[in-house]
Amino acid sequence: MNNKIIIINGPNLNLLGEREQSQYGSITFEKLKENCLKESKKLNLELNFIQSNIEGEIVDLIQNSRVNYDGMIINAAAFTHTSVAIRDALSIFKKPIIELHISNIYKREEFRHKSLISDLATGGIFGLGANGYILAIIAMQKILKNEN
Ligand code: DQA
């Protein structure tokens, strides 16, 4: 079917709606999840929307995804800038990857300008707020259908 996707969210994204609204807006994690599930359903994608604060858990998720999913959207949050382990796991996932950030990481502190995963991604979305998730789902559907 080629329609199973996973959205992996890294640390502190569970507190969307509460944390730094100037960067991430007011949408809650639960509402974001609901919106993503709705969009996926519309596009006939089967979505697993998941969050973890734990680096090793995210590594396990990525490893398991290589057999269970056709594409991955990942907002690795702070681990984007620090985690060689997540990078290494992503390099084993030989399917489409979209890197996602709610904020524009290049407009922020210098330590956020470096992503350890961008060169492994098919493409990326940043700075477009929570809507970036919806855009990423639409882009992934086109990639999986070879319409990109
Ligand atoms: C983020 C940007 C990261 O720098 C930050 O650590 C996050 C969220 C974003 O979605 O804009 O937690 O990935």
Side-chain angles (χ1 to χ4, degrees), residues 84-111:
V84 176
I86 287 176
R87 177 191 165 78
D88 287 350
L90 285 171
S91 72
I92 303 164
F93 184 81
K94 303 280 184 218
K95 297 173 185 177
I97 298 171
I98 296 178
E99 178 182 357
L100 175 63
H101 300 286
I102 298 170
S103 65
N104 182 345
I105 55 175
Y106 302 101
K107 266 191 181 169
R108 302 182 63 190
E109 303 95 321
E110 206 168 326
F111 66 84

Side-chain angles (χ1 to χ4, degrees), residues 56-107:
E57 250 176 43
I58 295 175
V59 169
D60 282 344
L61 275 168
I62 297 169
Q63 285 187 9
N64 295 335
S65 295
R66 78 192 196 285
V67 280
N68 295 327
Y69 297 96
D70 304 305
M72 177 184 299
I73 297 166
I74 182 162
N75 184 348
F79 291 144
T80 306
H81 318 296
T82 62
S83 178
V84 176
I86 287 176
R87 177 191 165 78
D88 287 350
L90 285 171
S91 72
I92 303 164
F93 184 81
K94 303 280 184 218
K95 297 173 185 177
I97 298 171
I98 296 178
E99 178 182 357
L100 175 63
H101 300 286
I102 298 170
S103 65
N104 182 345
I105 55 175
Y106 302 101
K107 266 191 181 169

Side-chain angles (χ1 to χ4, degrees), residues 5-9 13 16 23-25 27 32-33 35-37 39-40 43 45 47 49 72-75 97-104 123-141 143:
I5 67 168
I6 185 165
I7 299 184
I8 298 179
N9 293 284
L13 290 169
L16 280 179
Q23 293 295 349
Y24 305 117
I27 193 166
L32 177 63
K33 179 176 179 176
N35 290 352
C36 288
L37 287 168
E39 185 66 27
S40 302
L43 296 175
L45 293 172
L47 168 67
F49 189 93
M72 177 184 299
I73 297 166
I74 182 162
N75 184 348
I97 298 171
I98 296 178
E99 178 182 357
L100 175 63
H101 300 286
I102 298 170
S103 65
N104 182 345
I125 294 174
F126 59 87
L128 301 180
N131 278 331
Y133 281 79
I134 302 301
L135 298 172
I137 291 168
I138 294 169
M140 183 59 80
Q141 193 242 12
I143 291 168

